[in-house]
Amino acid sequence: MKSILFSTTATPLQLAAVRRALVSAGAAGVTVLEGDRTAFIISDPSDDIHLDDYRNFPGVEGVQQASEKNQRVAHTAPSINLESGIEGLTVIAGPCGIESEEQIATVYEHLAKEGLRFVRGGAYKPRTSPHDFQGKGKNGLVIASEIARDYGLQLVSEVVDPRDVEFAAQHVAIIQIGTRSMQNFPLLKEAGASRLPVLLKRGMSATVEEWIGAGEHLLVAGAPAVIFCERGIRTFESITRNTLDLLGAAALKERTTMPVIVDPSHAAGRRSLVIQGALAGIAAGLDGMIVEVHNDPASARSDASQALLLADFSRLLRLTRNIREALSIDSYSL
Ligand code: PEP
Ligand code: MN
């Protein structure tokens, strides 16, 4: 796939001149990408198009032979609206695990009042120890999805076994793939085939390139959107649970038209650092966040130490709105 990138100051007349030249050279399937800047993506047939011929047109900033390998991640836009909570962002919150009807109802009621559309809750919990709470499975998905629906909310939940995708797809709006499963290719295939958007956590030891490849697998399999989620990686540093790689996430945004969000909870590992991580992600230009919130963190059966109190989550939303107002995120594009 070949593309022609325009400078942010390119005029409509300059765009039209390049388009005319491309069409008369035989390019078909020229699509326009509206993002930080305009790009013409020449999809088919492009063998006769010599990119160097277009380099010196006024308004053209550069030409690119995009890698064929990850073309969907690079060029397709989500075909589904993913806005939740704050205009232009995808904000997802809720407990680590689905524990009881009372817990879910209390948390979701609060999140609905805060204007969220997507809420989380794990039914299949991948735990380090087999002796720890493993999640409520199918029953958990039924409980959480019904309560979510009562509040006008939609569920985001992790699936770890390809055999559970079909059932989960009847109860969730977004399938979550956890850090431990990022390169479980049979699972990615099954999740993509469900035709639901997929929230793809970065593998804790995965490079951004490997993460992109996993996203491409999902899109090839049929997912209408991939929400890439930076949740921290393994490094020598142990003062936080994981090392939040915000520039890795920002670098991914240069490579994809899909949303990239931050999970400050699993990076921080403790409540006192969650708000900082979330705000830093938004300030870095990311497209949203997924945050663990609990009505009674002390009693949480998984990830208790990193769960925000309901009131703290409300404060985080207020601060996020302030940051969005204060920063002109557009100014980050060079
Ligand atoms: C989770 O979201 O609760 C979870 C298990 O996340 P991760 O896969 O990032 O560890
Ligand atoms: Mn968790």
Side-chain angles (χ1 to χ4, degrees):
M1 186 156 333
K2 294 169 180 172
S3 63
I4 296 179
L5 296 171
F6 291 88
S7 70
T8 47
T9 54
T11 66
L13 277 178
Q14 290 170 341
L15 301 186
V18 175
R19 179 187 283 282
R20 262 199 314 278
L22 281 168
V23 170
S24 61
V30 176
T31 59
V32 180
L33 184 78
E34 297 287 346
D36 299 345
R37 67 189 74 197
T38 303
F40 285 170
I41 316 294
I42 309 154
S43 46
D44 174 62
S46 52
D47 287 354
D48 297 338
I49 305 296
H50 303 292
L51 285 175
D52 280 339
D53 296 350
Y54 300 88
R55 213 179 272 284
N56 295 324
F57 271 70
V60 170
E61 188 169 281
V63 295
Q64 224 173 45
Q65 179 78 51
S67 139
E68 286 287 337
K69 265 193 347 209
N70 296 312
Q71 52 181 274
R72 287 179 174 80
V73 165
H75 298 302
T76 55
S79 58
I80 202 157
N81 175 18
L82 296 167
E83 208 166 72
S84 167
I86 293 177
E87 200 186 333
L89 295 183
T90 304
V91 178
I92 304 164
C96 179
I98 300 159
E99 297 165 2
S100 70
E101 289 185 25
E102 190 206 347
Q103 168 228 23
I104 291 295
T106 312
V107 175
Y108 289 3
E109 182 183 10
H110 183 85
L111 298 174
K113 278 193 192 131
E114 288 290 0
L116 259 62
R117 181 154 75 99
F118 295 126
V119 287
R120 61 159 290 151
Y124 304 102
K125 296 307 304 172
R127 304 303 300 280
T128 303
S129 166
H131 303 293
D132 288 338
F133 175 58
Q134 304 291 305
K136 288 198 162 324
K138 286 189 166 73
N139 194 30
L141 282 177
V142 172
I143 292 173
S145 60
E146 281 179 3
I147 296 174
R149 201 188 46 219
D150 290 346
Y151 288 108
L153 299 165
Q154 292 178 293
L155 186 62
V156 182
S157 198
E158 176 172 355
V159 179
V160 291
D161 185 326
R163 291 168 297 187
D164 292 325
V165 169
E166 198 179 330
F167 182 83
Q170 291 159 17
H171 296 87
V172 307
I174 298 176
I175 292 179
Q176 179 175 326
I177 301 287
T179 189
R180 295 161 188 80
S181 305
M182 190 202 84
Q183 283 189 317
N184 180 339
F185 298 113
L187 179 61
L188 299 181
K189 254 193 204 157
E190 205 63 35
S194 75
R195 309 262 159 190
L196 288 174
V198 178
L199 188 154
L200 179 64
K201 299 270 194 113
R202 178 179 182 178
M204 63 181 88
S205 302
T207 64
V208 170
E209 201 61 46
E210 289 163 341
W211 193 14
I212 289 173
E216 188 74 9
H217 270 278
L218 288 167
L219 294 171
V220 166
V226 171
I227 304 168
F228 288 95
C229 176
E230 165 61 36
R231 49 78 73 201
I233 51 175
R234 275 282 165 89
T235 68
F236 61 86
E237 182 57 81
S238 59
I239 197 149
T240 52
R241 185 177 177 186
N242 290 285
T243 298
L244 189 60
D245 183 17
L246 283 181
L247 280 187
L252 171 58
K253 271 195 68 66
E254 295 185 328
R255 300 273 305 276
T256 184
T257 39
M258 292 289 158
V260 181
I261 69 169
V262 61
D263 169 354
S265 308
H266 292 86
R270 61 179 186 278
R271 154 174 336 108
S272 67
L273 292 173
V274 169
I275 291 184
Q276 295 90 315
L279 295 177
I282 297 305
L286 303 190
D287 303 297
M289 59 179 86
I290 180 166
V291 181
E292 289 190 342
V293 178
H294 202 287
N295 55 316
D296 178 20
S299 75
R301 298 182 70 187
S302 58
D303 289 348
S305 57
Q306 68 197 32
L308 284 188
L309 298 161
L310 300 179
D312 286 336
F313 179 70
S314 298
R315 190 159 67 91
L316 169 58
L317 281 181
R318 284 198 299 278
L319 293 168
T320 303
R321 289 196 180 91
N322 292 346
I323 291 228
R324 293 276 292 173
E325 254 174 59
L327 294 175
S328 166
I329 301 292
D330 285 349
S331 66
Y332 292 152
S333 58
L334 296 175

